[in-house]
Amino acid sequence: MRPLIIALDFETKQKVDSFLDHFHESLYVKVGMELYYQEGPKIIDYLKEKGHQIFLDLKLHDIPNTVKQAMKRVANLEVDMVNVHALGGSRMMEAALEGLESGASRQQRPTIIAVTQLTSSDEQMVQKEQMISLSLENSVRNLARLAKQSGLDGVVCSAHEVGIITDVCGESFQTITPGIRLADDQNGDQVRVATPQLARKLGATGIVVGRSITRAKDPYRAYQQVKSEWEGVYE
Ligand code: C5P
């Protein structure tokens, strides 16, 4: 499965409902910090009851024990995908996986992936602020390798880094790519962007799309356009 994941970056459940009213099908949605911190775990149950698959994007990054215990609680929510920051290190990622596995009540645990470098970061930020002497691309490659060695299923990265990650981590390692924009859309705060079509060509295993769909005048139409580019309908 190569999911097209819609980022439900809304303040409240009411706003989520107004958005979802445009759709009459099951979706793969992402619940991030904004919605989760406002609505709490009940928003997960609500979306599951409506038949949607869920990526819970809380980007955990703390000491290994705290992340492990947090992941045990997250496991109870029975979402489909969760994540951590690879910058938390291999011990933290291993602990996250352990927590998720020990907390999961159903047979299959959720997919767990790690954020490498945020798609809003650029070369200068990585080198001048994080003081990483590697290029951004090499930093992403290094973090992806670390995530793979820690037993994780994949990473969050930009579409432009999919090739180098697949070279190092193999085809079955997931590359979920945000920073997706339709050709005429504004980048906003995102830097390393790609169209759904380019993400597909570069071999991304999944895309995360927020504002290009959620802020479109006609969200359903925008979704259909993203979907057909992502599925290669135009070629
Ligand atoms: O609106 P937009 O398409 O830029 O939204 C992208 C979504 O993906 C946001 O919810 C953001 O938090 C998330 N994300 C990201 N970059 C990452 C990880 C997650 O943009 N590296």
Side-chain angles (χ1 to χ4, degrees):
M1 186 204 177
R2 288 158 43 89
L4 185 184
I5 304 169
I6 304 181
L8 294 180
D9 292 327
F10 294 104
E11 290 154 47
T12 60
K13 174 175 169 290
Q14 281 72 23
K15 290 194 175 167
V16 169
D17 278 336
S18 317
F19 172 74
L20 290 176
D21 280 348
H22 294 279
F23 300 85
H24 303 284
E25 60 201 279
S26 297
L27 302 169
Y28 202 133
V29 297
K30 181 173 87 65
V31 174
M33 298 179 203
E34 182 182 10
L35 184 60
Y36 191 77
Y37 291 152
Q38 175 63 34
E39 299 290 350
K42 65 183 188 300
I43 190 71
I44 302 295
D45 292 335
Y46 178 72
L47 291 166
K48 277 201 311 193
E49 271 163 31
K50 284 182 158 275
H52 303 304
Q53 285 182 274
I54 300 171
F55 171 16
L56 181 59
D57 176 22
L58 296 180
K59 297 190 182 71
L60 301 189
H61 188 175
D62 206 318
I63 59 169
N65 185 55
T66 301
V67 170
K68 180 177 170 180
Q69 300 308 328
M71 275 299 176
K72 274 193 195 170
R73 309 283 91 75
V74 164
N76 293 333
L77 299 174
E78 298 193 351
V79 294
D80 300 278
M81 197 186 300
V82 298
N83 64 357
V84 294
H85 264 289
L87 281 164
S90 58
R91 278 205 300 132
M92 189 207 77
M93 286 191 275
E94 284 161 11
L97 183 58
E98 242 180 85
L100 200 60
E101 280 175 345
S102 64
S105 52
R106 64 180 182 180
Q107 285 199 326
Q108 203 185 347
R109 64 156 173 82
T111 297
I112 173 167
I113 59 178
V115 176
T116 52
Q117 290 287 353
L118 294 167
T119 41
S120 53
S121 301
D122 60 15
E123 198 80 47
Q124 194 178 353
M125 191 270 200
V126 168
Q127 290 175 6
K128 293 218 166 122
E129 296 185 15
Q130 296 181 3
M131 304 283 275
I132 290 176
S133 52
L134 299 173
S135 65
L136 191 150
E137 207 175 77
N138 282 335
S139 166
V140 169
R141 180 194 278 125
N142 172 53
L143 291 167
R145 191 190 288 122
L146 204 62
K148 163 103 180 165
Q149 286 165 355
S150 308
L152 269 56
D153 304 307
V155 285
V156 185
C157 59
S158 99
H160 303 281
E161 291 127 20
V162 169
I164 57 160
I165 291 171
T166 307
D167 280 351
V168 175
C169 301
E171 299 272 337
S172 61
F173 196 64
Q174 298 195 34
T175 46
I176 305 294
T177 62
I180 300 295
R181 292 289 180 271
L182 290 168
D184 296 334
D185 288 341
Q186 309 246 319
N187 286 359
D189 53 352
Q190 297 280 19
V191 175
R192 292 166 12 249
V193 299
T195 61
Q197 187 180 38
L198 182 60
R200 184 176 61 75
K201 285 191 177 151
L202 294 172
T205 64
I207 53 173
V208 174
V209 189
R211 286 162 286 185
S212 284
I213 295 175
T214 56
R215 303 294 184 258
K217 275 199 196 105
D218 183 343
Y220 186 67
R221 200 156 162 238
Y223 171 71
Q224 289 301 335
Q225 192 184 339
V226 170
K227 193 164 181 266
S228 37
E229 276 196 33
W230 174 235
E231 291 173 356
V233 170
Y234 292 142
E235 284 147 43

